[in-house]
Amino acid sequence: MTSFPGLSPSSGFLQSTAWRAALALAVVFVMLAMTGWTAIRGTKDDANPLATAKTAWKHATFLGHPLPDPNAAPGTVRAFFATLSRAEKHQLADRYPLVVGNLGGAPVQLRYQANQMAIDNAREVEERRMADPRLTPVGRQEAGRLMHRLESLMTPGRQILAFDPANGGRAAEVFGDLPAADRVSVVVPGVDTNLSTFERTARANTAPVGMARSLYSAEQQARPGARTAVIAWADYTAPSGLGVEAATGQLASAGAVRLRALVGSLPSSDSVSLFCHSYGSVVCGLAARGLPANVGDIAVAGSPGMRADSLSGLGTRARVWAMRDAGDWIQDVPYLEVGGLGHGADPVDPSFGSRILSADGAVGHAGYFTPGTRSLRNFALVGVGATNSVECASADPHCGTGPV
């Protein structure tokens, strides 16, 4: 047996841990060689239309009174809009569509309408960029691709709850009647999520919009007539690719703050469930401790870790569910955290303490929301509160029988 200085041959566990730590560091050095330290340091932000709009909002008055701070608590914002007539609300949305469209506590339908205007404004910008001779041919092609994606978001009937065009862009879309929903499910996606990848035509169920649409349909099948809503929540800055950003928690920490704000601003709901895929589970793990009490379930799929060593480390009273397909490459990542790199223990390991769900039918890392799979069916049952009907993985045959 190979030994390490200071370890006896009987120290199998310690040797295993040392090997895993060495493997993690090797992976880190490979990432640094491929992506560079600039991935950690970051670069200067591009022009930010939303920040500019918020600044104008802060210095404005409406009907002779100052406007509420755009970062005010949802209750403060709701109280402000309750004093306005319908015409006054629309006047404010017309004047500041980006602010109103992203304002937690503003009426949901008003946010949908404001975001349609904001998206149209962003579409016009990309349309001009398509003919801008200062851009490279690739740049003009990317502008055209984004313009068509924005046109899709403007399709009548789409309910865009959040929209920010800066730095690749962020968005959130609602399926169902959010104000009337008794149960709300939030889909939190992983790396390479931006406006261009918010939805896909091919392999639609691997993008946030397709994931949420599939989950909403599955919830309706699981409990017909249930008042549910599902949010495709890509309203955080996700890592680009599998470089150093994806191996650290910096972007997840910022995303966790935004996720808590979303849940705290929901118009009404007795129960909220989070469905977190890949790096999205890192976001959910960091958000868990500060989430409102109405978050009853956190379900993760294809997780690289939740920034915790065990269930108790998450600091949440919510039920935590985990699943992973046998062919998911994520199982080969080092499940530990070394100097801020890596995301902690494997949520599917029985020692972690989560309830392990069957992922039968899910193929690979991106297949968990595919219609007809047991993985999607299990998610839907959690979303509608039918947790006693879930199908557990063979490693955890009692996951659906605990306290509900």
Side-chain angles (χ1 to χ4, degrees):
M1 177 186 295
T2 303
S3 63
F4 288 86
L7 296 181
S8 68
S10 62
S11 316
F13 173 76
L14 293 177
Q15 289 190 26
S16 174
T17 301
W19 275 115
R20 293 177 69 194
L23 178 59
L25 290 174
V27 170
V28 168
F29 287 129
V30 171
M31 287 178 174
L32 290 173
M34 295 174 62
T35 63
W37 286 104
T38 55
I40 295 178
R41 290 198 299 262
T43 57
K44 185 177 180 179
D45 290 341
D46 297 331
N48 191 322
L50 178 55
T52 301
K54 284 184 175 181
T55 298
W57 170 283
K58 287 180 179 179
H59 292 90
T61 59
F62 187 68
L63 304 178
H65 300 285
L67 295 167
D69 190 289
N71 299 313
T76 300
V77 175
R78 289 192 190 99
F80 167 75
F81 276 96
T83 67
L84 304 181
S85 68
R86 184 174 183 275
E88 289 166 347
K89 292 173 185 175
H90 286 282
Q91 183 181 351
L92 202 54
D94 288 342
R95 188 179 301 177
Y96 302 101
L98 263 178
V99 177
V100 174
N102 291 279
L103 198 55
V108 169
Q109 291 295 334
L110 189 67
R111 290 180 65 175
Y112 296 160
Q113 295 164 16
N115 280 322
Q116 288 295 320
M117 290 184 279
I119 293 169
D120 193 26
N121 292 337
R123 182 198 60 77
E124 291 177 352
V125 170
E126 297 306 317
E127 187 173 33
R128 290 194 297 269
R129 285 167 50 84
M130 288 174 60
D132 189 338
R134 296 171 297 177
L135 296 180
T136 65
V138 173
R140 291 193 292 271
Q141 184 179 24
E142 287 298 313
R145 181 186 177 199
L146 181 54
M147 188 198 73
H148 291 304
R149 187 62 70 205
L150 294 171
E151 286 178 338
S152 176
L153 293 180
M154 293 176 62
T155 302
R158 297 193 69 167
Q159 302 178 138
I160 308 302
L161 185 67
F163 173 75
D164 181 355
N167 301 317
R170 301 189 293 234
E173 181 171 9
V174 175
F175 296 88
D177 188 343
L178 183 58
D182 294 324
R183 308 188 70 90
V184 175
S185 298
V186 182
V187 174
V188 184
V191 300
D192 287 329
T193 299
N194 52 44
L195 285 178
S196 294
T197 60
F198 187 50
E199 59 180 328
R200 291 190 176 100
T201 302
R203 300 178 67 237
N205 300 311
T206 65
V209 168
M211 292 177 180
R213 183 182 284 118
S214 291
L215 181 58
Y216 180 66
S217 177
E219 288 183 355
Q220 293 296 296
Q221 294 174 18
R223 181 166 286 178
R227 296 196 301 179
T228 65
V230 178
I231 302 173
W233 189 77
D235 194 25
Y236 81 102
T237 300
S240 178
L242 297 176
V244 177
E245 284 183 337
T248 61
Q250 182 177 358
L251 292 180
S253 294
V257 173
R258 298 181 67 84
L259 181 57
R260 293 189 198 109
L262 166 81
V263 175
S265 70
L266 293 175
S268 64
S269 143
D270 294 329
S271 180
V272 177
S273 301
L274 306 182
F275 298 90
C276 321
H277 178 245
S278 194
Y279 189 84
S281 67
V282 186
V283 177
C284 292
L286 289 171
R289 188 176 300 274
L291 288 169
N294 64 339
V295 178
D297 296 280
I298 301 173
V300 303
S303 174
M306 300 179 72
R307 288 265 151 177
D309 291 328
S310 65
L311 179 63
S312 62
L314 293 175
T316 180
R317 294 184 179 180
R319 292 177 292 260
V320 177
W321 312 81
M323 66 170 70
R324 185 173 65 220
D325 173 56
D328 190 338
W329 59 262
I330 202 75
Q331 65 188 309
D332 296 323
V333 307
Y335 280 97
L336 43 74
E337 186 270 328
V338 179
L341 295 157
H343 301 302
D346 183 357
V348 174
D349 189 313
S351 65
F352 186 86
S354 58
R355 305 174 186 221
I356 308 173
L357 294 168
S358 170
D360 285 354
V363 178
H365 187 60
Y368 297 99
F369 291 84
T370 302
T373 59
R374 174 54 60 182
S375 55
L376 179 62
R377 170 72 174 172
N378 276 331
F379 274 174
L381 290 169
V382 171
V384 299
T387 54
N388 286 332
S389 299
V390 300
E391 183 176 319
C392 303
S394 58
D396 188 2
H398 306 296
C399 69
T401 60
V404 176

